[in-house]
Structure formats: structure tokens, C-alpha cells
Amino acid sequence: MTAVPVAPVVQSPARRAARLFFRSPAGVIGLALTVLAVLSALLAPLLAPYDPVAYLPADRMQGPSLRHLLGTDLYGRDLLSRVIYGSRISLSVSAISVGLSLLVGGCFGALAGYFLGWVDTLVMRVTDVFLAFPAVLLAIALLAFLGGGFWNLTLAIAVAFTAPFARVVRAAVLRTRHAMFVEASGALGATDARLLWRHVLPNAAGPILVEITLRLAYAILAEAALSFLGLGTQPPAPAWGQMIADGRPFLETNPWISIAPGLAIMLVVLGFNLFGDALRDALDPRLGR
């Protein structure tokens, strides 16, 4: 009896990437930390045991206890509630700023990588000017001109991250621009706009997605640093960087005031970085595991 050959099962790129991602313990941990941070921000009114801005003088400077799991600050405010609500500010600033920088920088980077020539030269020279300044220093300069506050902070971080996104999108488009399926679609009469939107960008999405996850982590660090300097969301809003600054005079006697928001920043940034690293490996076609 002649055996019938069985055709090999070909996995879709999305299923293959998901299989590789969930095989990575670090990626699963990063995804769990990221989901936990997002859920904490979304469900803050349900999870926080106290009003994050309520002054309770009778409870000031208490250590961790069953009543206040992370202790209280100088004004008696519950630190756990402030850390939970602080995730709303940090994640909102990072998400909006990264979205804006991706929109602007991604558009210019895609145009530069697709059309090349003088468009590429102009866009890259402008990005060189912005990249000459460290992101936080550029954001500080903008906030010194605009003033502090949530939206000014978000805009400053977005401007600082626009040039890196333009570079990443340009490089991703360049790798896909001359693929055979793109040239075939162009030969069939597809316009440049259709080629760029329907063929080039979807197939260049891998590096862009990884850059988004890493920039979200950088944005959280930038927001914390600027809030620490007093340039971010203003008190009594529970910003993590501002909470660390408030606890700095009491590090020797009441270190939990700064430790609690510092641990929150560390865990969220670690989650985004682990998630981004695992996503990069899962989307890399050269890894044939």
C-alpha cells in the first residue's frame, strides 16, 4: 500500500509569532506586568481604598500596616491609593505622547523611506537636529517655555520622541519598499498612496510595534523625571515622580514614601521592556524556532 504524502502544515505569521512569544518566560512576565498596570489604571476607583488627594492629618507619616498597606505620606494620604491613581497619569501621558510622536514621526519617516531623494534628505537632516539633544533635556527646554501641566508635559515628550520614530519607520519602509510584491503591485497600476498604505506599511509593522513598546517605557521614565523636577502634573495630583520628590527629605526616617512609587515605575518599565524584547524576537523572521 503506497503511503500518501502529507503536506506540511504552514503556520500563519501571526500564529507563529504568538507561539514564539508565549514560549518566552520573560515575555509572559512582561505581558502580565503590562496588563496589571493597565488594569490598575482603568479600575483605579474600584481598587484604591482611599481618596488619593484626601488629607488625613491624624494618619500622617505612618508605616505600612493593614490599614495602609504602603503607609501614608506627609499629609496622611494613603500611598497605595496614590500609586494606583498615579498609574493613570503615567500611562496616559506615555500613551498619548507615543501616539502623537508615532503619528507625526511615522508619517515623515514613511515619506522619507518611500520617496527618498530630497524628501529623505530634508526629513533626516531635521531629525538629526532633534536627535542632537537628549530627549529629557529637549522636553525640559520645551516645558520651560510652555509651562508645566499634563498636556504640556505630554506634548513635550511627544516632540522629543518624534525624531526616533521617524528614523525607525524610515528604516522599516526602506526594507520593504523594493520587495517583489510591492513592485508587482506598482506595475499593475497601484498608486504610491495605495502602495505605501496597503502594502509597505503593513509589512513593515514589526519593528514599529517593538519601538512603540520600548518608547512607552521611555515615556514613563521621562514623565517621572520631569514630574520629579516639578515640570509635570502639578500637586496634589498623584504623579509618581512628584511622589518620589515629596519623600526625598524623609528617606532616612520614612523611606516608604519614595520606595512605593519607585517600585511602581520599576515594575511598569520592566514589564514594557520585557514585553518589547519578547515581541521583537517573536516577529524576527530569522528565528526559525
Side-chain angles (χ1 to χ4, degrees):
M1 184 175 180
T2 304
V4 178
V6 179
V9 178
V10 180
Q11 288 186 332
S12 66
R15 180 172 297 182
R16 173 188 171 279
R19 178 178 62 84
L20 291 178
F21 179 86
F22 285 104
R23 284 178 56 183
S24 169
V28 174
I29 293 173
L31 178 62
L33 290 174
T34 302
V35 171
L36 181 62
V38 173
L39 290 178
S40 298
L42 294 176
L43 303 177
L46 301 177
L47 297 176
Y50 297 92
D51 185 341
V53 296
Y55 290 84
L56 302 172
D59 294 337
R60 62 189 302 271
M61 306 296 283
Q62 290 188 7
S65 62
L66 292 178
R67 184 178 179 186
H68 301 284
L69 295 180
L70 297 181
T72 60
D73 65 4
L74 176 64
Y75 304 102
R77 298 174 295 194
D78 181 68
L79 287 175
L80 176 60
S81 301
R82 289 181 64 77
V83 167
I84 292 175
Y85 271 89
S87 64
R88 283 189 157 188
I89 294 177
S90 292
L91 292 179
S92 297
V93 169
S94 63
I96 298 173
S97 61
V98 169
L100 289 174
S101 58
L102 173 63
L103 179 63
V104 178
C107 288
F108 284 108
L111 293 175
Y114 185 85
F115 291 106
L116 299 178
W118 68 268
V119 177
D120 183 37
T121 301
L122 177 62
V123 172
M124 289 302 99
R125 296 299 76 79
V126 173
T127 59
D128 287 341
V129 172
F130 281 93
L131 290 173
F133 301 93
V136 174
L137 182 60
L138 180 59
I140 290 174
L142 291 172
L143 288 172
F145 175 74
L146 299 173
F150 178 89
W151 290 109
N152 288 341
L153 173 64
T154 302
L155 180 60
I157 296 176
V159 171
F161 286 171
T162 296
F165 266 117
R167 287 278 185 176
V168 170
V169 174
R170 172 185 177 271
V173 169
L174 279 175
R175 283 195 293 268
T176 313
R177 172 67 182 87
H178 297 292
M180 292 184 64
F181 65 90
V182 176
E183 294 184 351
S185 298
L188 292 175
T191 62
D192 288 331
R194 181 177 178 83
L195 287 174
L196 185 60
W197 182 252
R198 295 294 299 274
H199 299 286
V200 175
L201 286 177
N203 288 280
I208 299 173
L209 289 175
V210 174
E211 183 69 12
I212 289 173
T213 60
L214 297 178
R215 286 293 159 185
L216 286 170
Y218 296 156
I220 290 174
L221 290 175
E223 186 275 334
L226 295 170
S227 295
F228 181 85
L229 296 174
L231 298 173
T233 305
Q234 300 302 305
W240 286 342
Q242 182 63 47
M243 292 171 64
I244 295 176
D246 291 342
R248 185 176 54 173
F250 311 104
L251 283 176
E252 294 185 1
T253 58
N254 306 96
W256 59 84
I257 300 177
S258 293
I259 289 176
L263 284 175
I265 295 171
M266 183 195 72
L267 291 175
V268 175
V269 172
L270 177 64
F272 277 118
N273 277 287
L274 292 177
F275 178 69
D277 288 343
L279 186 63
R280 178 197 59 204
D281 294 340
L283 294 175
D284 191 343
R286 294 170 296 181
L287 298 178
R289 294 174 293 178

